[in-house]
């Protein structure tokens, strides 16, 4: 979907994970949690809205990505609200 331009792929992992593990080219980065203690990002929804709007438009399909699926599920729940 993302490769065809039908969705925006958002990486919700921390900046540290992206740096040391790597990332998928073309993804939008909006961390669900930050720092080594993984403190929840209080600006997540605002950052997500802004970055998705600039990447794919306000009505874009959004796919969230993390290592295990736990953070992306929490992020999706917050975004849906």
């Amino acid at each position: 979907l993302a490769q065809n331009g039908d969705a925006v792929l958002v990486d919700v992992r921390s900046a540290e994970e992206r740096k040391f593990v790597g990332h998928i080219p073309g993804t939008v980065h909006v961390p669900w949690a930050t720092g080594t203690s993984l403190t929840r990002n209080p600006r997540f929804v605002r950052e997500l809205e802004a970055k998705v709007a600039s990447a794919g438009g306000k009505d874009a399909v959004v796919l969230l990505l993390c290592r295990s699926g736990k953070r992306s599920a929490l992020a999706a729940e917050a975004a849906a609200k």
Side-chain angles (χ1 to χ4, degrees), residues 11-14 29-34 38-42 44-45 47 66 70-79:
D11 188 342
V12 300
R13 297 175 303 150
S14 69
H29 181 231
V30 182
W32 172 250
T34 59
L38 293 178
T39 304
R40 188 187 179 294
N41 177 2
F44 175 78
V45 173
E47 290 177 18
C66 73
K70 183 177 180 180
R71 285 172 286 177
S72 56
L74 293 169
E77 186 177 318

